[in-house]
Amino acid sequence: MDGGDVKGFYEDFGRRVRVAREKAGVTQGQLAARIGLTRSSIANLEAGRQKVLLHALYGICDALDLDPADLMPERRQSKDVDLVKLSEQASSFPADDRAFVLNVVGAVRRSVSAR
């Protein structure tokens, strides 16, 4: 996991904590009191600015009646494809292959921008 992946991991984890906490009708302060952290620590966890310690993870899960897996971000199966680099490399492909690759790249870009 590189630096960007780690940052994204903790941001996703924090979002999952916030969603679960709100669904349970628990405030940041209440959750903090239940697990022995400060409200600002919960806010920082939810914002992805603070890494979660294992004992805190289990405390959060106990307080919100969750399994730790419920809060874990999805694992990416592979690295993202660099579409710009792929488009540049396609210029050296035979015409039919180049057209195919550029069509696929365009479709992926449209799909991603539609989300």
Side-chain angles (χ1 to χ4, degrees), residues 9-64:
F9 175 88
Y10 282 104
E11 287 172 350
D12 192 11
F13 173 83
R15 181 188 57 76
R16 290 168 182 260
V17 170
R18 180 182 47 78
V19 167
R21 178 185 57 74
E22 289 174 348
K23 186 176 179 181
V26 176
T27 67
Q28 288 179 340
Q30 291 167 331
L31 179 58
R34 290 180 189 178
I35 64 174
L37 293 177
T38 63
R39 190 214 51 82
S40 63
S41 286
I42 298 299
N44 285 325
L45 281 172
E46 290 183 358
R49 293 186 297 262
Q50 182 171 318
K51 295 177 179 167
V52 65
L53 298 172
L54 284 176
H55 72 279
L57 170 63
Y58 278 88
I60 291 167
C61 290
D62 287 345
L64 300 177

Side-chain angles (χ1 to χ4, degrees), residues 37-113:
L37 293 177
T38 63
R39 190 214 51 82
S40 63
S41 286
I42 298 299
N44 285 325
L45 281 172
E46 290 183 358
R49 293 186 297 262
Q50 182 171 318
K51 295 177 179 167
V52 65
L53 298 172
L54 284 176
H55 72 279
L57 170 63
Y58 278 88
I60 291 167
C61 290
D62 287 345
L64 300 177
D65 195 30
L66 299 170
D67 187 271
D70 296 333
L71 298 176
M72 291 297 113
E74 298 294 322
R75 288 186 71 168
R76 291 193 334 192
Q77 296 300 316
S78 63
K79 291 284 186 183
D80 291 336
V81 174
D82 184 342
L83 297 178
V84 172
K85 187 174 181 179
L86 183 59
S87 296
E88 292 169 356
Q89 290 172 338
S91 66
S92 65
F93 296 173
D96 288 344
D97 293 343
R98 180 175 52 250
F100 174 77
V101 169
L102 293 175
N103 282 333
V104 170
V105 167
V108 169
R109 285 183 173 151
R110 286 188 298 278
S111 173
V112 168
S113 67

